[in-house]
Amino acid sequence: MYTTQKTAVTKLLAVAMTIAMALTMTVSAFAAEIRPFYNEEVVIAASVSTASKMYTVTVQAPAGTTQIKMDATLYQKQLIGRKQISTMSGSASGARCSKSKSAAIQTGKTYVIEVTAQVYTNGSWDTVEDTITVKT
């Protein structure tokens, strides 16, 4: 009787260790490499200010970027569709490009900013597009 209990406990322990080992290997296989913020992504941010009647677009690219070109179009949402309010272009040498422009911005309206950025990193141009909606 003593050997039967010992064998059952040993088998149970072996099964538990096998499950723990399998889970450890699975988690390790799916682990992602840690990367710094902005290391591999182009981030586009935009804002609209009713106080200064301006809109701002910022493009932040990865380290190693030597040139950025951007085009932005500001639209005001209408009941049906949207109305183009302003456009602007900008460029910068380096990994960050920020540009502001005054526009006829009204309080209580919704604005859409469409941004197209071209980023020159590691010898090639990449195009990134984003649409940002802002309610004033």
Side-chain angles (χ1 to χ4, degrees):
M1 184 167 197
Y2 176 73
T3 56
T4 306
Q5 260 185 338
K6 187 175 180 183
T7 306
V9 171
T10 306
K11 287 182 181 179
L12 197 60
L13 184 61
V15 169
M17 289 177 65
T18 303
I19 291 171
M21 184 177 66
L23 288 174
T24 302
M25 287 191 300
T26 303
V27 170
S28 298
F30 292 117
E33 179 182 335
I34 297 174
R35 59 186 172 144
F37 191 64
Y38 293 138
N39 191 29
E40 297 174 10
E41 297 179 2
V42 174
V43 178
I44 298 174
S47 63
V48 175
S49 171
T50 55
S52 62
K53 304 277 188 203
M54 296 183 80
Y55 68 106
T56 304
V57 176
T58 303
V59 178
Q60 178 71 46
T65 299
T66 56
Q67 193 171 3
I68 298 174
K69 297 176 186 177
M70 71 168 179
D71 296 309
T73 304
L74 176 69
Y75 297 96
Q76 183 184 62
K77 279 193 164 184
Q78 303 290 310
L79 189 58
I80 299 174
R82 55 190 185 182
K83 174 179 148 186
Q84 183 175 325
I85 303 295
S86 176
T87 62
M88 73 174 163
S89 296
S91 63
S93 297
R96 182 179 170 89
C97 180
S98 186
K99 180 122 174 148
S100 297
K101 187 174 180 184
S102 61
I105 297 170
Q106 302 170 355
T107 305
K109 301 287 184 176
T110 301
Y111 293 90
V112 176
I113 304 170
E114 288 184 348
V115 182
T116 301
Q118 295 176 320
V119 178
Y120 188 75
T121 306
N122 298 326
S124 67
W125 286 97
D126 291 319
T127 301
V128 180
E129 297 177 342
D130 199 3
T131 301
I132 295 112
T133 303
V134 179
K135 177 135 174 84
T136 58

